[in-house]
Every structure is written in C-alpha cells, then in structure tokens.
Amino acid sequence: MLILPPKEQMDQHVAAREGVISHFNDALEKIINENQHRDRYYVLGKAKVHNKHGKRIVRPFLQACAEKPPVVKESFVYEIDNRRGVKTLLWVMHPDDTLSFPTLGKSIRVSGGNSGSQILLPG
C-alpha cells in the first residue's frame, strides 16, 4: 500500500465522508417518505465500521421506531414530527462515552457498567 501525501489522504477522507453522508440522507428521506402517515416517530441511527483489505468501511444503519429508543452506544436519534414538519436530532452517543444533546448544546460523560450507565460529570 502506498503512503500518500497528507493532502491526498485528506481528499480521500473528505470524499468518503461525503459518500457516507449522502447514503445516510438518502436512507433518512426513504424512511420519512414511508412514514408520512404517522404523526410522530423516531429514527435510530448507527454507523457500523469494519476493515476490509486495509480500508475502513462505514455503513450507516437507520431504523424507524414508534417509541423513543433507549440510548445505545455509538448511535443517534432523530424525532420526526410530521404534524409540524420538523425533524430534530435528540441525542448522539459518541464512541468515547460522551452523550450529546444538540438542541440543548450540552454533553455529559457516561460510563457503561454491568448495572447500566452512570452520569459521571457534565461536559
């Protein structure tokens, strides 16, 4: 495998990220179109990452839910309100155990143990 110059590495990274974002947006629009009859529902999203032939492959995964799903590591939840025509990102659970609430502009650090997650300190 060739070692590429930093600019070329960044260009490949940006192109890959744009591909994942495009795939995510297409899947989200499909879910929204399929659930136009519902007043309110939630979309749980995760990104599955694995290595193939020395390259990181990222696959977005989205699922429509009638009830608000629980916090899942490395995931996010949108609330879709068709009555108001609004989609809101409720929370994002990052791989480093940071739980972000974008609408509030706040984050907290959580720790997953055998007995569940605990709030450690505000971020």
Side-chain angles (χ1 to χ4, degrees):
M1 176 177 267
L2 290 175
I3 297 176
L4 301 173
K7 182 181 179 343
E8 197 169 328
Q9 289 177 1
M10 182 56 84
D11 291 344
Q12 286 182 356
H13 173 77
V14 169
R17 183 178 64 204
E18 288 173 357
V20 169
I21 290 170
S22 175
H23 181 83
F24 163 77
N25 286 334
D26 292 345
L28 183 60
E29 286 304 315
K30 182 179 178 187
I31 288 173
I32 289 172
N33 290 336
E34 290 173 348
N35 291 285
Q36 289 179 350
H37 63 283
R38 293 184 171 271
D39 286 340
R40 181 180 289 166
Y41 62 98
Y42 302 88
V43 176
L44 173 66
K46 290 188 70 160
K48 296 179 182 179
V49 180
H50 64 279
N51 292 319
K52 187 174 186 179
H53 306 296
K55 289 189 172 185
R56 288 184 72 200
I57 307 294
V58 179
R59 291 189 178 180
F61 168 79
L62 298 174
Q63 176 184 5
C65 307
E67 302 285 326
K68 189 184 303 184
V71 175
V72 178
K73 189 167 185 166
E74 298 182 26
S75 65
F76 56 90
V77 166
Y78 274 97
E79 178 183 58
I80 312 294
D81 188 339
N82 284 327
R83 286 176 288 156
R84 296 184 306 149
V86 176
K87 60 183 173 190
T88 306
L89 181 59
L90 296 181
W91 53 258
V92 178
M93 182 64 177
H94 299 279
D96 67 352
D97 292 333
T98 302
L99 180 60
S100 299
F101 301 95
T103 55
L104 301 174
K106 301 286 181 185
S107 296
I108 58 172
R109 173 81 65 192
V110 296
S111 171
N114 293 338
S115 62
S117 294
Q118 289 182 312
I119 296 174
L120 296 178
L121 49 108

